Amino acid sequence: MAVHLYGIRNCDTMKKARTWLDAQGVDYVFHDYKVEGADAAWLRGLVDKVGWEAVLNRAGTTFRKLPEAERSGLDAEKAIALMVAQPSMIKRPVLVAGEEIRLGFKPDVYGALFKG
């Protein structure tokens, strides 16, 4: 099963997820948004599967600092445009393991996904 981890290298939650995956011996490909960017087509596919509300990190500083006009009237296309422009607004990490997608990091959720 191909495993891809998407996020930002220096994010504390990302560090925890990567440490957990490494400790469990899970091979994965890491995509750093700060280095490689966030692809609109990939984000659209992710949003189609889990919904833009789950993917957009509204709790983060980057989103909260946006002018009210940019934060209001959100829909999938506007959210995708915001996330492409500022990948820090994407919930982290995004783990894609085969057809499975997990947003955020919780050891028990990862454990259930990668159990024997």
Side-chain angles (χ1 to χ4, degrees), residues 30-106:
F30 177 59
H31 179 102
D32 187 339
Y33 300 131
K34 294 289 187 180
V35 175
E36 301 172 69
D39 180 72
W42 177 81
L43 271 169
R44 191 165 287 107
L46 182 63
V47 164
D48 287 348
K49 291 176 183 167
V50 300
W52 68 266
E53 298 91 342
V55 179
L56 181 64
N57 180 9
R58 295 186 208 198
T61 307
T62 306
F63 182 81
R64 291 187 318 229
K65 286 184 177 180
L66 287 175
E68 181 60 33
E70 291 184 48
R71 289 186 284 151
S72 63
L74 287 174
D75 61 15
E77 288 306 310
K78 188 172 178 181
I80 290 167
L82 286 172
M83 291 184 283
V84 168
Q86 298 188 57
S88 296
M89 284 193 249
I90 303 170
K91 175 94 173 176
R92 298 182 299 270
V94 174
L95 176 76
V96 179
E99 294 297 316
E100 299 292 326
I101 298 170
R102 300 293 183 274
L103 301 176
F105 171 67
K106 292 187 177 170

Side-chain angles (χ1 to χ4, degrees), residues 13 37 54 104 107:
T13 306

